[in-house]
Amino acid sequence: MNEKVVVHQMYEDLLKSYIEIKPVLFDLYIKNDNKYIDAILNEMRALSDHLARCYADNVSYETIHKELNKAEGHLKRLIYDCFKQLNIIFFDYVDSYESKYFGKHWLRINDGQFWTDYTSLRYEVVQSIEKAKTYESVDADIAFNNYQSAYVTQGKVYDLLTEYKRKLQISIPKAVWVKINSLWGWIFTTILLTAIPTIIWEWQTIWIWITGIFK
């Protein structure tokens, strides 16, 4: 296979990979308040720079081959950085969501099926990310497939939280009522625990007084 065919195939593979990752890049842009982090921007600039050098005047196929290799390396890092940033955004979101709205009512939604689905999907995300990190320097294809799997599963978690939003997020009046009930329960328990020793002591005193009369 001559150099012209080789570089042409490399360019096609590179372009195909970039087209595949573009929707994910756009999703990251939206989820990150319509901006990219510096690491993503730097990889995009480097990728574009090496591709642009392939179109210089009188450039040799050997030089194009080298530039495409470098561009491929930057694309790989771009993909990894993109997925990693999405992972950070995902876990920040669900952790914040849980801290705001989580309660025992989550366990009862849809007869417990919501909680089963939610925890299973979240665990699946973690497993895919851990496997992807393990294979990053060993097998890029396995790493990419697992990052992609984690990304798809994250989408299912977002959809699940949206689907059950009204049931997950207790309204302010209801949340206040739950807090009041909880407070009343605490007050009642405190009073009861305080009163029992007093009642026992008073009963003992009365009993001693009664038995003293009949002696």
Side-chain angles (χ1 to χ4, degrees), residues 111-128:
D111 294 328
Q113 188 59 48
F114 162 78
W115 184 246
T116 299
D117 293 340
Y118 176 72
T119 52
S120 297
L121 288 171
R122 189 168 176 181
Y123 178 73
E124 189 177 329
V125 171
V126 173
Q127 290 291 97
S128 295

Side-chain angles (χ1 to χ4, degrees), residues 84-100:
K84 288 175 182 178
Q85 186 64 23
L86 283 166
N87 294 339
I88 292 171
I89 292 172
F90 170 76
F91 285 112
D92 284 347
Y93 177 80
V94 294
D95 288 344
S96 175
Y97 198 98
E98 288 179 12
S99 67
K100 286 181 182 178

Side-chain angles (χ1 to χ4, degrees), residues 76 80 84 126-148:
K76 185 186 296 183
Y80 286 162
K84 288 175 182 178
V126 173
Q127 290 291 97
S128 295
I129 292 173
E130 288 181 351
K131 189 172 182 180
K133 289 180 178 179
T134 301
Y135 280 93
E136 267 190 27
S137 58
V138 180
D139 192 315
D141 289 336
I142 295 178
F144 174 79
N145 289 337
N146 278 277
Y147 274 131
Q148 191 173 44

Side-chain angles (χ1 to χ4, degrees), residues 42-127:
N42 291 337
E43 295 300 340
M44 292 174 72
R45 291 191 191 104
L47 172 62
S48 299
D49 180 62
H50 287 294
L51 288 176
R53 292 181 186 183
C54 295
Y55 293 92
D57 292 337
N58 301 318
V59 64
S60 66
Y61 284 114
E62 182 182 358
T63 301
I64 294 176
H65 188 275
K66 289 179 181 178
E67 294 299 335
L68 288 177
N69 270 330
K70 292 177 181 178
E72 185 180 339
H74 285 293
L75 179 60
K76 185 186 296 183
R77 286 190 288 274
L78 172 63
I79 292 171
Y80 286 162
D81 287 344
C82 181
F83 280 128
K84 288 175 182 178
Q85 186 64 23
L86 283 166
N87 294 339
I88 292 171
I89 292 172
F90 170 76
F91 285 112
D92 284 347
Y93 177 80
V94 294
D95 288 344
S96 175
Y97 198 98
E98 288 179 12
S99 67
K100 286 181 182 178
Y101 305 113
F102 177 76
K104 292 180 180 179
H105 64 290
W106 280 33
L107 309 180
R108 298 188 295 269
I109 294 174
N110 199 17
D111 294 328
Q113 188 59 48
F114 162 78
W115 184 246
T116 299
D117 293 340
Y118 176 72
T119 52
S120 297
L121 288 171
R122 189 168 176 181
Y123 178 73
E124 189 177 329
V125 171
V126 173
Q127 290 291 97

